[in-house]
Amino acid sequence: MPSSFSAELRASATAEEEAYRHIQRALRLGRYKPGDRLIPEDIAAEIGMSRMPVREAFRRLASDGLVVLRPNRGCIVAGLTVDELYETFEMRSVLEGLAVRLAMPRIDEDELEELERLLERMERAGRSGSNDWVVRHQEFHGRICALSQRPKLMHQIAALHAVIEPYMRIWFDYVEKPLSARDEHAALIAALRSGDARHAEQVMQDHILDTAPILVEFVTPSRRQTPAGEK
Amino acid sequence: MPSSFSAELRASATAEEEAYRHIQRALRLGRYKPGDRLIPEDIAAEIGMSRMPVREAFRRLASDGLVVLRPNRGCIVAGLTVDELYETFEMRSVLEGLAVRLAMPRIDEDELEELERLLERMERAGRSGSNDWVVRHQEFHGRICALSQRPKLMHQIAALHAVIEPYMRIWFDYVEKPLSARDEHAALIAALRSGDARHAEQVMQDHILDTAPILVEFVTPSRRQTPAGEK
DNA sequence: GATTGGATAAATGGATACAAAAATATTTCG
DNA sequence: CGAAATATTTTTGTATCCATTTATCCAATC
């Protein structure tokens, strides 16, 4: 969550909320791999609660597309097929494109400088490892989305990011330091500076769709159909 | 659900699933109004189960954006502000636009004729009442989306439709029979016939964004901020 | 008379307990 | 020795129960 840490300030939420965040974070960090089973009792014990709130958290995570829930068969970490991964990028492309277009009226020089700072930080983070880079990358995209001032749109985009994040990590670890990333994001800032909303939308769409094939290529080796062969 | 009734064939799902579908349908039919409280015990008694599966269903419905769940304060039917309603149409415009663009390769003469049949059926349903028309309208849009062969995209679009459906009903009931609707959808078919994917995408985007202001206008009178004044 | 405080009632959240289903291990028979 | 059938274990799904929180109502005070 790039900029919505504020929600975590209220420490004493419900147990379900705690379970939801706990599992979500674990998934983001790649602690579980696609196809892995999430055992309610184990997770409940980890956080110190009963199975019930964990079960409820599972429902929400399933709605987010992060896990798959089958009746009487438990909860497994959702894996994306190559097609689904690509589809997710297609959806991101139009939604983030929309976000950029709507954000344009609120782009000023201050904001552009802030984005350049974030780009610089992303670049630096890229040297220390995939974890930091992915977080910074999310932050950069999240900043632009936030300027659209569309809460539901942001929520959707964040959900899509959460699904592909583990794959971004794998990708980053393979290619060491993606050189193209800096140029692409710099081009994005340039497009924003142009002031042409439609143009910026197109640049964002192209940027996201450009990433997809590279990522797909690196993910293909460990290609697992949804739950590793349906067990 | 226009075309996914197949999922209801398996009668003996879990109780949670039954509760989920039950409440979803009730919301679609406008049985509850935005801001209404959903009492777990009452719903549980209706279907003949305990509160627990109903509680779990609430979580999923909340993720879908159909209800709002606040800790220790129960479950209320989600209402959209005018801004949120408009935002939903913006998201629909780019996602359904994408769906049309991707569907284009699979559009042939047979498919065009089928769409014309659906348009005709939508027209006829419009005379009998808003219920039938909304269902047929969904069916028409759903058919196009299905041709994109993108399951996750379809799911997202269906979720957005579910949220705005009650408002579509209100709108339809106000304007008797929206004359523009027939022309707009016919133009959509014409765009598909042209074979130009980008053009069809644009027509779809325009069509959806055209609807939004009309609908917003009719919804404004009963304008309720999310939960009728936060109670 | 309005507002605040507290007591009571209601509803929610969560844990335990139990029943049903699935997965696993074991035995039996070919 | 292998396959099928059965018994056992594990795990999931649901109901009931209890604790905590919130809402309601009434009284006391300003």
Side-chain angles (χ1 to χ4, degrees):
Chain A
M1 262 148 272
S3 56
S4 59
F5 274 124
S6 57
E8 287 205 336
L9 290 180
R10 48 183 171 80
S12 66
T14 63
E16 187 272 344
E17 183 74 16
E18 196 185 338
Y20 178 76
R21 292 183 184 281
H22 179 91
I23 301 166
Q24 198 180 47
R25 192 151 39 116
L27 290 172
R28 289 179 73 106
L29 298 178
R31 188 176 139 196
Y32 305 106
K33 287 195 295 293
D36 282 0
R37 284 183 66 150
L38 296 182
I39 290 108
E41 292 192 307
D42 292 355
I43 295 170
E46 256 174 51
I47 328 179
M49 62 180 67
S50 81
R51 287 164 37 208
M52 204 57 67
V54 177
R55 274 177 58 86
E56 292 179 4
F58 282 172
R59 302 285 180 197
R60 270 209 288 167
L61 293 163
S63 248
D64 295 345
L66 293 174
V67 302
V68 175
L69 228 47
R70 284 176 310 170
N72 292 314
R73 293 193 159 200
C75 176
I76 61 179
V77 177
L80 295 178
T81 62
V82 173
D83 286 349
E84 286 169 334
L85 186 59
Y86 208 95
E87 188 182 348
T88 306
F89 274 82
E90 288 172 333
M91 292 170 69
R92 265 192 69 205
S93 74
V94 295
L95 288 176
E96 294 203 38
L98 172 66
V100 170
R101 165 155 50 97
L102 298 172
M104 192 55 97
R106 273 171 290 278
I107 299 276
D108 55 18
E109 192 52 40
D110 284 354
E111 199 53 55
L112 288 167
E113 279 168 20
E114 174 63 21
L115 285 171
E116 273 159 0
R117 266 194 297 280
L118 290 177
L119 177 57
E120 194 53 46
R121 217 184 296 174
M122 184 169 97
E123 182 72 5
R124 277 202 305 276
R127 293 188 203 111
S128 59
S130 64
N131 274 1
D132 291 344
W133 185 82
V134 169
V135 170
R136 294 304 177 192
H137 179 254
Q138 227 89 304
E139 192 176 31
F140 182 88
H141 278 263
R143 179 88 189 187
I144 298 177
C145 288
L147 289 170
S148 72
Q149 297 192 340
R150 298 293 194 281
K152 285 175 179 288
L153 178 60
M154 282 180 65
H155 181 267
Q156 271 315 129
I157 293 172
L160 294 178
H161 272 269
V163 170
I164 59 174
E165 185 165 327
Y167 296 92
M168 295 283 278
R169 232 174 272 276
I170 295 170
W171 168 61
F172 190 95
D173 286 338
Y174 267 95
V175 297
E176 289 269 337
K177 184 165 46 150
L179 292 174
S180 62
R182 202 208 152 83
D183 295 341
E184 293 240 354
H185 290 93
L188 218 49
I189 295 179
L192 285 168
R193 186 164 267 130
S194 79
D196 182 342
R198 289 282 168 186
H199 171 64
E201 177 176 17
Q202 191 61 51
V203 171
M204 176 62 93
Q205 285 194 14
D206 293 343
H207 160 58
I208 292 172
L209 288 183
D210 279 355
T211 317
I214 309 173
L215 203 153
V216 164
E217 183 189 341
F218 278 93
V219 169
T220 308
S222 68
R223 154 189 227 178
R224 53 188 84 225
Q225 298 295 326
T226 332
E230 183 69 4
K231 164 68 190 179
Chain B
M1 261 147 270
S3 56
S4 58
F5 274 124
S6 56
E8 287 206 338
L9 291 179
R10 47 183 172 77
S12 65
T14 62
E16 186 272 343
E17 182 74 15
E18 196 185 340
Y20 178 77
R21 292 184 182 282
H22 178 91
I23 301 167
Q24 197 181 48
R25 192 149 41 116
L27 291 172
R28 290 180 70 105
L29 298 177
R31 187 175 139 195
Y32 305 107
K33 287 196 295 290
D36 282 359
R37 281 185 68 153
L38 297 182
I39 291 109
E41 290 192 307
D42 292 356
I43 296 170
E46 257 175 52
I47 328 179
M49 61 179 67
S50 82
R51 286 164 38 207
M52 202 56 69
V54 177
R55 276 174 53 91
E56 293 180 3
F58 281 173
R59 301 286 180 195
R60 270 209 286 168
L61 292 163
S63 250
D64 295 345
L66 294 173
V67 302
V68 175
L69 229 46
R70 282 177 310 170
N72 292 316
R73 290 187 159 204
C75 176
I76 61 178
V77 178
L80 294 179
T81 63
V82 173
D83 285 349
E84 287 169 334
L85 186 60
Y86 208 95
E87 189 182 349
T88 306
F89 274 82
E90 289 172 333
M91 292 169 70
R92 262 192 70 204
S93 74
V94 295
L95 288 175
E96 293 202 38
L98 172 65
V100 170
R101 167 158 44 99
L102 297 173
M104 191 56 94
R106 271 170 290 279
I107 298 276
D108 56 17
E109 193 51 40
D110 284 353
E111 199 53 55
L112 288 167
E113 279 168 21
E114 175 63 22
L115 285 171
E116 272 158 1
R117 265 194 297 279
L118 290 177
L119 177 57
E120 193 55 45
R121 218 184 294 174
M122 183 168 99
E123 182 72 7
R124 278 202 304 276
R127 295 190 200 108
S128 58
S130 64
N131 274 1
D132 291 343
W133 185 82
V134 169
V135 170
R136 293 304 178 192
H137 180 254
Q138 227 89 306
E139 191 176 32
F140 182 87
H141 278 262
R143 179 88 190 186
I144 297 176
C145 288
L147 289 170
S148 72
Q149 298 192 339
R150 299 291 194 281
K152 286 175 179 290
L153 178 60
M154 282 180 65
H155 181 268
Q156 272 314 127
I157 293 172
L160 294 177
H161 271 270
V163 171
I164 60 175
E165 186 165 326
Y167 296 92
M168 295 285 278
R169 232 175 273 273
I170 295 170
W171 168 61
F172 190 95
D173 286 340
Y174 268 95
V175 297
E176 289 267 335
K177 184 166 44 151
L179 291 173
S180 62
R182 201 209 153 82
D183 295 341
E184 292 240 355
H185 290 94
L188 218 50
I189 294 179
L192 284 169
R193 185 165 268 127
S194 79
D196 182 341
R198 289 282 169 185
H199 171 63
E201 177 176 16
Q202 192 61 52
V203 171
M204 176 62 92
Q205 286 194 13
D206 294 344
H207 160 57
I208 292 173
L209 289 182
D210 279 356
T211 317
I214 310 172
L215 202 153
V216 164
E217 183 188 341
F218 278 92
V219 169
T220 307
S222 69
R223 156 187 224 179
R224 57 188 81 229
Q225 298 295 328
T226 333
E230 185 67 3
K231 167 74 185 181

